[in-house]
Amino acid sequence: MAGTGETTMSHLPEEILTNVFSAVSDTRTRNALSLVCRNFRCLERRTRTSLTLRGNARDLHLLPTCFRYVTDLDLSLISPWGHALFAASTSHQSDPQQLALELRNAFPRVTSLALYARSPVTLHLLLLIPWPNLRHVKLVRWHVRPPASQPGTDFADLFHRCRSLTSLDLSSFYHWPEDLPPVLAANPIISASMRRLNLLTTSFTEGFKSHEIQQITASCPNLEHLLLACTFDSRYLGYVGDETLTAVASNCPKLTLLHLGDTASLSNRRGDPNDSGFSDEDASISRATMVEFFSGLPLLEELVLDVCKNVRESCFGLEVLNSKCPKLRTLGLRQFHGICLAIGSQLDGVALCQGLHSLSVTNCGDLNDMGLIEIGRGCSRLVKFHVQGCKLITEKGLRTLTCLLRKTLVDVKISCCLNLETFAALRALEPIRDRIERLHVDCVWNGMKESDGLGQSLLNFDLNKLEDEQCVWEDFGSMDSEGTSQKKRQRCSYSPPPEEVEIDDSLMQSNGNGYWGSSWDKLKYLSLWIGVGDMLTPLPMAGLEDCPSLEEIKIRVEGDCRGKPKPSETEFGLSILACYPKLTKMQLDCGDTRGYALTAPSGQMDLSLWERDVQLREDYYPAPENDMSTEMRVGSCSRFEYALNRRRISD
């Protein structure tokens, strides 16, 4: 083409090409660009800043040396996974120290590192000559700490050698809570420079105790992001209560992100929709402490409190969030009750947080339709709304909320709500069907219900007059809920003349089936929960048949199939996904299923005889240290890896 005088992309100045290449993030696209010509290959290598190594540890001596501009390096997936990176049994190199040095020299500009560190030796060897600008480290380990290791040795080299460290992620690192606080206290300079700590470790059973949290926050006074697993159960020693929350706010006043999660909240399993939302025990968090806690964190932008124990009458404490934390944009609450009293038309509780862009409410036992409507009126900027385990809310309340937030709401999750099975949840989202981009629903096929005229008589009031009128809709006038304030609700009916009703005209365009719009035009991500034994085939009939922009879907299957009858249909229903023309990515998660009776060979009750070698169950791998089958699994994985590598792959 150049010979004919035409201008091609290769004729662009190198500065412009560099900017173009830097904007490409997809790995396959970058790989394709590097094959065009030598100049493109050099530009691709020069602009690639992130790299994940997935090869075998025995081949580390064959590392390429052309990725010298990589700043984000992930070594947590090198196979055989779960073994020490520089173990003599996995490497042809006789000198692990020399191998670590070659790895260090191949990527001289690393500022962010993810590493599977089964033993402290891995970090010790890798940091003999540390990266001078290494600021973020994520450690990964699912094996228990080596018996010979002393508490704190996993982190000693990291804090001793990485003088520029500001961020540490231990969310996937199996360790004991008492390991970290002494190391932080012994390295005051590095600890004072820490800005981010992710200690939301999923392997914890009780989490960090109160005195350990106080030690951590006292050692790191300049923290901006803190994610931490703990327990709010007052029956346990070291539980988190008033004293701990006050100490966190006092020790780390610069926090912009705070996530305190009870270890019970770390499980990904769906709850029981019939649960009331109230736990047996109350958390030791008083109203006065909540006010003091929020007042001490004026820079907060994101706050998540997964308490898992009752926090009652939280309305009054949450009201100060708007004034004490004016920058707050993301809020997550679990087991908080009374977040909105919904008395009359006066806004209260969380509805006063008018700057919120994201709100997640889980197991709120007294949240009803009136509370949803109050949230929709007060939090008018919500882009993301997740609700889970709220038994009292119904299709009518959720539908009104989505109508109130039609201009902003694009991310919705509805899970484990008794009155919002799949059909009802999707009907409630009709006002934002043409705008929503991300959606999660539970696949609960209780049958298609008639909409009972909800579409035609959704709102019989003027939303603009709610602040001036003491009114509650006739449809909700008789509603009340358990556990709410005993104050008498003020009720009066208000039905404005038809000319005063202001409803978006697009909402009134029915397609003849009770739906105002049939297409989810902007939906790009869909997440589904489905019980084991159920089928996906009713999904299009539920209202998700037309998703022209859907690119990614995640399906999580949960339950025990050992007590289920053998289904009459052998197909799970994945073939229905063919109706989504742009679907390019699917994640099928069966990690929470049990039994495998439906997948066992003929004559076998289940796969129990194979599990220890094949390891299909996600929560069973890896085995404990004293389980000798670990080595057998390494051999099995290696044979599979060799067979896979022998196949010719075009990419």
Side-chain angles (χ1 to χ4, degrees), residues 489-517:
R489 297 174 182 255
Q490 302 177 12
R491 296 189 178 94
C492 64
S493 60
Y494 173 65
S495 300
E499 61 271 12
E500 294 185 15
V501 179
E502 297 184 2
I503 303 178
D504 193 334
D505 289 339
S506 63
L507 295 181
M508 299 306 297
Q509 296 175 2
S510 173
N511 63 2
N513 296 322
Y515 296 128
W516 285 315

PDB file of all heavy atoms in Angstrom, residues 489-517:
ATOM      1  N   ARG A 489     -47.659   6.097  62.153  1.00  0.00           N
ATOM      2  CA  ARG A 489     -47.367   6.715  60.862  1.00  0.00           C
ATOM      3  C   ARG A 489     -48.486   7.673  60.473  1.00  0.00           C
ATOM      4  O   ARG A 489     -49.659   7.372  60.659  1.00  0.00           O
ATOM      5  CB  ARG A 489     -47.218   5.632  59.788  1.00  0.00           C
ATOM      6  CG  ARG A 489     -46.067   4.696  60.057  1.00  0.00           C
ATOM      7  CD  ARG A 489     -46.093   3.581  59.049  1.00  0.00           C
ATOM      8  NE  ARG A 489     -45.023   2.650  59.306  1.00  0.00           N
ATOM      9  CZ  ARG A 489     -43.912   2.566  58.589  1.00  0.00           C
ATOM     10  NH1 ARG A 489     -43.732   3.358  57.577  1.00  0.00           N
ATOM     11  NH2 ARG A 489     -42.985   1.697  58.906  1.00  0.00           N
ATOM     12  N   GLN A 490     -48.070   8.788  59.920  1.00  0.00           N
ATOM     13  CA  GLN A 490     -49.059   9.745  59.440  1.00  0.00           C
ATOM     14  C   GLN A 490     -49.438   9.361  58.024  1.00  0.00           C
ATOM     15  O   GLN A 490     -48.588   9.222  57.172  1.00  0.00           O
ATOM     16  CB  GLN A 490     -48.465  11.160  59.453  1.00  0.00           C
ATOM     17  CG  GLN A 490     -47.993  11.584  60.843  1.00  0.00           C
ATOM     18  CD  GLN A 490     -47.342  12.943  60.798  1.00  0.00           C
ATOM     19  OE1 GLN A 490     -47.450  13.633  59.796  1.00  0.00           O
ATOM     20  NE2 GLN A 490     -46.690  13.321  61.867  1.00  0.00           N
ATOM     21  N   ARG A 491     -50.702   9.193  57.809  1.00  0.00           N
ATOM     22  CA  ARG A 491     -51.149   8.756  56.492  1.00  0.00           C
ATOM     23  C   ARG A 491     -52.261   9.664  55.985  1.00  0.00           C
ATOM     24  O   ARG A 491     -53.166  10.027  56.709  1.00  0.00           O
ATOM     25  CB  ARG A 491     -51.692   7.326  56.542  1.00  0.00           C
ATOM     26  CG  ARG A 491     -50.650   6.280  56.914  1.00  0.00           C
ATOM     27  CD  ARG A 491     -51.250   4.896  56.708  1.00  0.00           C
ATOM     28  NE  ARG A 491     -50.281   3.865  57.013  1.00  0.00           N
ATOM     29  CZ  ARG A 491     -50.172   3.270  58.184  1.00  0.00           C
ATOM     30  NH1 ARG A 491     -50.968   3.626  59.177  1.00  0.00           N
ATOM     31  NH2 ARG A 491     -49.268   2.335  58.391  1.00  0.00           N
ATOM     32  N   CYS A 492     -52.151   9.996  54.751  1.00  0.00           N
ATOM     33  CA  CYS A 492     -53.259  10.670  54.087  1.00  0.00           C
ATOM     34  C   CYS A 492     -53.135  10.402  52.610  1.00  0.00           C
ATOM     35  O   CYS A 492     -52.060  10.199  52.104  1.00  0.00           O
ATOM     36  CB  CYS A 492     -53.263  12.172  54.362  1.00  0.00           C
ATOM     37  SG  CYS A 492     -51.832  13.040  53.719  1.00  0.00           S
ATOM     38  N   SER A 493     -54.244  10.345  51.940  1.00  0.00           N
ATOM     39  CA  SER A 493     -54.204  10.041  50.518  1.00  0.00           C
ATOM     40  C   SER A 493     -54.122  11.326  49.719  1.00  0.00           C
ATOM     41  O   SER A 493     -54.631  12.358  50.108  1.00  0.00           O
ATOM     42  CB  SER A 493     -55.477   9.264  50.122  1.00  0.00           C
ATOM     43  OG  SER A 493     -56.618  10.052  50.394  1.00  0.00           O
ATOM     44  N   TYR A 494     -53.407  11.196  48.611  1.00  0.00           N
ATOM     45  CA  TYR A 494     -53.263  12.361  47.749  1.00  0.00           C
ATOM     46  C   TYR A 494     -53.276  11.897  46.314  1.00  0.00           C
ATOM     47  O   TYR A 494     -52.420  11.132  45.890  1.00  0.00           O
ATOM     48  CB  TYR A 494     -51.950  13.078  48.058  1.00  0.00           C
ATOM     49  CG  TYR A 494     -51.644  14.204  47.084  1.00  0.00           C
ATOM     50  CD1 TYR A 494     -52.472  15.328  47.036  1.00  0.00           C
ATOM     51  CD2 TYR A 494     -50.547  14.130  46.238  1.00  0.00           C
ATOM     52  CE1 TYR A 494     -52.184  16.360  46.158  1.00  0.00           C
ATOM     53  CE2 TYR A 494     -50.272  15.156  45.360  1.00  0.00           C
ATOM     54  CZ  TYR A 494     -51.091  16.276  45.321  1.00  0.00           C
ATOM     55  OH  TYR A 494     -50.812  17.291  44.450  1.00  0.00           O
ATOM     56  N   SER A 495     -54.259  12.272  45.575  1.00  0.00           N
ATOM     57  CA  SER A 495     -54.367  11.898  44.177  1.00  0.00           C
ATOM     58  C   SER A 495     -54.524  13.155  43.350  1.00  0.00           C
ATOM     59  O   SER A 495     -55.611  13.740  43.280  1.00  0.00           O
ATOM     60  CB  SER A 495     -55.573  10.973  43.946  1.00  0.00           C
ATOM     61  OG  SER A 495     -55.426   9.798  44.714  1.00  0.00           O
ATOM     62  N   PRO A 496     -53.436  13.629  42.738  1.00  0.00           N
ATOM     63  CA  PRO A 496     -53.505  14.856  41.969  1.00  0.00           C
ATOM     64  C   PRO A 496     -54.301  14.661  40.686  1.00  0.00           C
ATOM     65  O   PRO A 496     -54.505  13.534  40.237  1.00  0.00           O
ATOM     66  CB  PRO A 496     -52.036  15.145  41.659  1.00  0.00           C
ATOM     67  CG  PRO A 496     -51.387  13.792  41.660  1.00  0.00           C
ATOM     68  CD  PRO A 496     -52.119  13.002  42.686  1.00  0.00           C
ATOM     69  N   PRO A 497     -54.752  15.733  40.115  1.00  0.00           N
ATOM     70  CA  PRO A 497     -55.447  15.634  38.829  1.00  0.00           C
ATOM     71  C   PRO A 497     -54.533  15.030  37.784  1.00  0.00           C
ATOM     72  O   PRO A 497     -53.316  15.116  37.888  1.00  0.00           O
ATOM     73  CB  PRO A 497     -55.781  17.109  38.502  1.00  0.00           C
ATOM     74  CG  PRO A 497     -55.707  17.815  39.817  1.00  0.00           C
ATOM     75  CD  PRO A 497     -54.719  17.108  40.628  1.00  0.00           C
ATOM     76  N   PRO A 498     -55.121  14.417  36.765  1.00  0.00           N
ATOM     77  CA  PRO A 498     -54.314  13.762  35.738  1.00  0.00           C
ATOM     78  C   PRO A 498     -53.304  14.690  35.089  1.00  0.00           C
ATOM     79  O   PRO A 498     -52.229  14.254  34.706  1.00  0.00           O
ATOM     80  CB  PRO A 498     -55.371  13.272  34.725  1.00  0.00           C
ATOM     81  CG  PRO A 498     -56.636  13.160  35.521  1.00  0.00           C
ATOM     82  CD  PRO A 498     -56.575  14.222  36.546  1.00  0.00           C
ATOM     83  N   GLU A 499     -53.669  15.998  34.951  1.00  0.00           N
ATOM     84  CA  GLU A 499     -52.728  16.895  34.282  1.00  0.00           C
ATOM     85  C   GLU A 499     -51.495  17.176  35.110  1.00  0.00           C
ATOM     86  O   GLU A 499     -50.477  17.656  34.594  1.00  0.00           O
ATOM     87  CB  GLU A 499     -53.435  18.217  33.932  1.00  0.00           C
ATOM     88  CG  GLU A 499     -53.973  18.996  35.151  1.00  0.00           C
ATOM     89  CD  GLU A 499     -55.388  18.582  35.505  1.00  0.00           C
ATOM     90  OE1 GLU A 499     -55.837  17.556  34.957  1.00  0.00           O
ATOM     91  OE2 GLU A 499     -56.029  19.298  36.285  1.00  0.00           O
ATOM     92  N   GLU A 500     -51.520  16.862  36.430  1.00  0.00           N
ATOM     93  CA  GLU A 500     -50.367  17.124  37.274  1.00  0.00           C
ATOM     94  C   GLU A 500     -49.417  15.938  37.350  1.00  0.00           C
ATOM     95  O   GLU A 500     -48.312  16.055  37.850  1.00  0.00           O
ATOM     96  CB  GLU A 500     -50.821  17.501  38.696  1.00  0.00           C
ATOM     97  CG  GLU A 500     -51.578  18.805  38.774  1.00  0.00           C
ATOM     98  CD  GLU A 500     -51.881  19.177  40.217  1.00  0.00           C
ATOM     99  OE1 GLU A 500     -51.270  18.581  41.123  1.00  0.00           O
ATOM    100  OE2 GLU A 500     -52.726  20.052  40.432  1.00  0.00           O
ATOM    101  N   VAL A 501     -49.852  14.796  36.890  1.00  0.00           N
ATOM    102  CA  VAL A 501     -48.999  13.617  36.974  1.00  0.00           C
ATOM    103  C   VAL A 501     -47.872  13.736  35.966  1.00  0.00           C
ATOM    104  O   VAL A 501     -48.113  13.975  34.782  1.00  0.00           O
ATOM    105  CB  VAL A 501     -49.822  12.342  36.702  1.00  0.00           C
ATOM    106  CG1 VAL A 501     -48.927  11.115  36.760  1.00  0.00           C
ATOM    107  CG2 VAL A 501     -50.951  12.234  37.712  1.00  0.00           C
ATOM    108  N   GLU A 502     -46.634  13.589  36.443  1.00  0.00           N
ATOM    109  CA  GLU A 502     -45.470  13.710  35.574  1.00  0.00           C
ATOM    110  C   GLU A 502     -44.769  12.370  35.493  1.00  0.00           C
ATOM    111  O   GLU A 502     -44.094  11.945  36.405  1.00  0.00           O
ATOM    112  CB  GLU A 502     -44.512  14.773  36.111  1.00  0.00           C
ATOM    113  CG  GLU A 502     -45.132  16.166  36.140  1.00  0.00           C
ATOM    114  CD  GLU A 502     -44.139  17.224  36.595  1.00  0.00           C
ATOM    115  OE1 GLU A 502     -42.974  16.866  36.852  1.00  0.00           O
ATOM    116  OE2 GLU A 502     -44.527  18.387  36.688  1.00  0.00           O
ATOM    117  N   ILE A 503     -44.954  11.685  34.387  1.00  0.00           N
ATOM    118  CA  ILE A 503     -44.319  10.392  34.165  1.00  0.00           C
ATOM    119  C   ILE A 503     -43.674  10.428  32.790  1.00  0.00           C
ATOM    120  O   ILE A 503     -44.246  10.953  31.837  1.00  0.00           O
ATOM    121  CB  ILE A 503     -45.344   9.248  34.240  1.00  0.00           C
ATOM    122  CG1 ILE A 503     -46.057   9.262  35.605  1.00  0.00           C
ATOM    123  CG2 ILE A 503     -44.689   7.900  34.004  1.00  0.00           C
ATOM    124  CD1 ILE A 503     -47.109   8.200  35.748  1.00  0.00           C
ATOM    125  N   ASP A 504     -42.498   9.876  32.709  1.00  0.00           N
ATOM    126  CA  ASP A 504     -41.788   9.814  31.439  1.00  0.00           C
ATOM    127  C   ASP A 504     -42.666   9.107  30.406  1.00  0.00           C
ATOM    128  O   ASP A 504     -43.152   8.008  30.626  1.00  0.00           O
ATOM    129  CB  ASP A 504     -40.471   9.050  31.636  1.00  0.00           C
ATOM    130  CG  ASP A 504     -39.538   9.212  30.452  1.00  0.00           C
ATOM    131  OD1 ASP A 504     -40.036   9.464  29.341  1.00  0.00           O
ATOM    132  OD2 ASP A 504     -38.310   9.079  30.649  1.00  0.00           O
ATOM    133  N   ASP A 505     -42.849   9.759  29.250  1.00  0.00           N
ATOM    134  CA  ASP A 505     -43.714   9.186  28.225  1.00  0.00           C
ATOM    135  C   ASP A 505     -43.229   7.819  27.764  1.00  0.00           C
ATOM    136  O   ASP A 505     -44.028   6.962  27.382  1.00  0.00           O
ATOM    137  CB  ASP A 505     -43.782  10.133  27.013  1.00  0.00           C
ATOM    138  CG  ASP A 505     -44.566  11.392  27.337  1.00  0.00           C
ATOM    139  OD1 ASP A 505     -45.355  11.351  28.309  1.00  0.00           O
ATOM    140  OD2 ASP A 505     -44.385  12.401  26.644  1.00  0.00           O
ATOM    141  N   SER A 506     -41.895   7.616  27.797  1.00  0.00           N
ATOM    142  CA  SER A 506     -41.373   6.335  27.320  1.00  0.00           C
ATOM    143  C   SER A 506     -41.820   5.185  28.188  1.00  0.00           C
ATOM    144  O   SER A 506     -41.835   4.036  27.759  1.00  0.00           O
ATOM    145  CB  SER A 506     -39.835   6.372  27.286  1.00  0.00           C
ATOM    146  OG  SER A 506     -39.318   6.560  28.595  1.00  0.00           O
ATOM    147  N   LEU A 507     -42.191   5.479  29.454  1.00  0.00           N
ATOM    148  CA  LEU A 507     -42.630   4.413  30.347  1.00  0.00           C
ATOM    149  C   LEU A 507     -44.007   3.906  29.971  1.00  0.00           C
ATOM    150  O   LEU A 507     -44.410   2.834  30.401  1.00  0.00           O
ATOM    151  CB  LEU A 507     -42.643   4.908  31.801  1.00  0.00           C
ATOM    152  CG  LEU A 507     -41.295   5.284  32.399  1.00  0.00           C
ATOM    153  CD1 LEU A 507     -41.490   5.713  33.843  1.00  0.00           C
ATOM    154  CD2 LEU A 507     -40.321   4.129  32.320  1.00  0.00           C
ATOM    155  N   MET A 508     -44.752   4.684  29.227  1.00  0.00           N
ATOM    156  CA  MET A 508     -46.132   4.308  28.929  1.00  0.00           C
ATOM    157  C   MET A 508     -46.271   3.596  27.587  1.00  0.00           C
ATOM    158  O   MET A 508     -47.361   3.271  27.164  1.00  0.00           O
ATOM    159  CB  MET A 508     -47.014   5.561  28.923  1.00  0.00           C
ATOM    160  CG  MET A 508     -47.035   6.283  30.267  1.00  0.00           C
ATOM    161  SD  MET A 508     -47.483   5.197  31.638  1.00  0.00           S
ATOM    162  CE  MET A 508     -49.138   4.767  31.156  1.00  0.00           C
ATOM    163  N   GLN A 509     -45.135   3.319  26.914  1.00  0.00           N
ATOM    164  CA  GLN A 509     -45.199   2.668  25.616  1.00  0.00           C
ATOM    165  C   GLN A 509     -45.160   1.154  25.815  1.00  0.00           C
ATOM    166  O   GLN A 509     -44.104   0.563  25.988  1.00  0.00           O
ATOM    167  CB  GLN A 509     -44.035   3.128  24.738  1.00  0.00           C
ATOM    168  CG  GLN A 509     -44.108   4.617  24.430  1.00  0.00           C
ATOM    169  CD  GLN A 509     -42.893   5.091  23.672  1.00  0.00           C
ATOM    170  OE1 GLN A 509     -42.021   4.314  23.342  1.00  0.00           O
ATOM    171  NE2 GLN A 509     -42.844   6.381  23.371  1.00  0.00           N
ATOM    172  N   SER A 510     -46.305   0.540  25.846  1.00  0.00           N
ATOM    173  CA  SER A 510     -46.376  -0.906  26.077  1.00  0.00           C
ATOM    174  C   SER A 510     -46.170  -1.650  24.775  1.00  0.00           C
ATOM    175  O   SER A 510     -46.534  -1.189  23.700  1.00  0.00           O
ATOM    176  CB  SER A 510     -47.741  -1.265  26.678  1.00  0.00           C
ATOM    177  OG  SER A 510     -47.885  -2.659  26.758  1.00  0.00           O
ATOM    178  N   ASN A 511     -45.607  -2.842  24.887  1.00  0.00           N
ATOM    179  CA  ASN A 511     -45.420  -3.659  23.696  1.00  0.00           C
ATOM    180  C   ASN A 511     -46.547  -4.674  23.513  1.00  0.00           C
ATOM    181  O   ASN A 511     -46.450  -5.569  22.705  1.00  0.00           O
ATOM    182  CB  ASN A 511     -44.071  -4.403  23.770  1.00  0.00           C
ATOM    183  CG  ASN A 511     -44.012  -5.365  24.927  1.00  0.00           C
ATOM    184  OD1 ASN A 511     -44.978  -5.513  25.673  1.00  0.00           O
ATOM    185  ND2 ASN A 511     -42.871  -6.025  25.094  1.00  0.00           N
ATOM    186  N   GLY A 512     -47.574  -4.525  24.339  1.00  0.00           N
ATOM    187  CA  GLY A 512     -48.716  -5.408  24.204  1.00  0.00           C
ATOM    188  C   GLY A 512     -48.677  -6.619  25.104  1.00  0.00           C
ATOM    189  O   GLY A 512     -49.637  -7.353  25.214  1.00  0.00           O
ATOM    190  N   ASN A 513     -47.551  -6.847  25.758  1.00  0.00           N
ATOM    191  CA  ASN A 513     -47.419  -7.999  26.646  1.00  0.00           C
ATOM    192  C   ASN A 513     -47.329  -7.570  28.101  1.00  0.00           C
ATOM    193  O   ASN A 513     -46.888  -8.331  28.948  1.00  0.00           O
ATOM    194  CB  ASN A 513     -46.163  -8.806  26.279  1.00  0.00           C
ATOM    195  CG  ASN A 513     -46.251  -9.387  24.896  1.00  0.00           C
ATOM    196  OD1 ASN A 513     -47.320  -9.811  24.488  1.00  0.00           O
ATOM    197  ND2 ASN A 513     -45.151  -9.393  24.173  1.00  0.00           N
ATOM    198  N   GLY A 514     -47.699  -6.342  28.393  1.00  0.00           N
ATOM    199  CA  GLY A 514     -47.575  -5.861  29.752  1.00  0.00           C
ATOM    200  C   GLY A 514     -46.240  -5.204  30.016  1.00  0.00           C
ATOM    201  O   GLY A 514     -45.994  -4.683  31.085  1.00  0.00           O
ATOM    202  N   TYR A 515     -45.324  -5.239  29.033  1.00  0.00           N
ATOM    203  CA  TYR A 515     -44.009  -4.631  29.184  1.00  0.00           C
ATOM    204  C   TYR A 515     -43.971  -3.343  28.380  1.00  0.00           C
ATOM    205  O   TYR A 515     -44.456  -3.262  27.269  1.00  0.00           O
ATOM    206  CB  TYR A 515     -42.903  -5.566  28.680  1.00  0.00           C
ATOM    207  CG  TYR A 515     -42.787  -6.832  29.454  1.00  0.00           C
ATOM    208  CD1 TYR A 515     -42.786  -8.063  28.795  1.00  0.00           C
ATOM    209  CD2 TYR A 515     -42.674  -6.816  30.833  1.00  0.00           C
ATOM    210  CE1 TYR A 515     -42.673  -9.241  29.508  1.00  0.00           C
ATOM    211  CE2 TYR A 515     -42.558  -7.988  31.553  1.00  0.00           C
ATOM    212  CZ  TYR A 515     -42.558  -9.195  30.890  1.00  0.00           C
ATOM    213  OH  TYR A 515     -42.443 -10.354  31.595  1.00  0.00           O
ATOM    214  N   TRP A 516     -43.299  -2.310  28.938  1.00  0.00           N
ATOM    215  CA  TRP A 516     -43.193  -1.042  28.216  1.00  0.00           C
ATOM    216  C   TRP A 516     -42.079  -1.070  27.190  1.00  0.00           C
ATOM    217  O   TRP A 516     -42.083  -0.332  26.248  1.00  0.00           O
ATOM    218  CB  TRP A 516     -42.953   0.081  29.223  1.00  0.00           C
ATOM    219  CG  TRP A 516     -44.193   0.432  29.962  1.00  0.00           C
ATOM    220  CD1 TRP A 516     -45.435   0.615  29.443  1.00  0.00           C
ATOM    221  CD2 TRP A 516     -44.318   0.634  31.361  1.00  0.00           C
ATOM    222  NE1 TRP A 516     -46.329   0.915  30.429  1.00  0.00           N
ATOM    223  CE2 TRP A 516     -45.666   0.940  31.610  1.00  0.00           C
ATOM    224  CE3 TRP A 516     -43.439   0.596  32.424  1.00  0.00           C
ATOM    225  CZ2 TRP A 516     -46.139   1.213  32.894  1.00  0.00           C
ATOM    226  CZ3 TRP A 516     -43.894   0.863  33.690  1.00  0.00           C
ATOM    227  CH2 TRP A 516     -45.248   1.165  33.917  1.00  0.00           C
ATOM    228  N   GLY A 517     -41.091  -1.868  27.382  1.00  0.00           N
ATOM    229  CA  GLY A 517     -39.994  -1.983  26.427  1.00  0.00           C
ATOM    230  C   GLY A 517     -39.455  -3.388  26.498  1.00  0.00           C
ATOM    231  O   GLY A 517     -39.335  -3.955  27.568  1.00  0.00           O
TER     232      GLY A 517
END
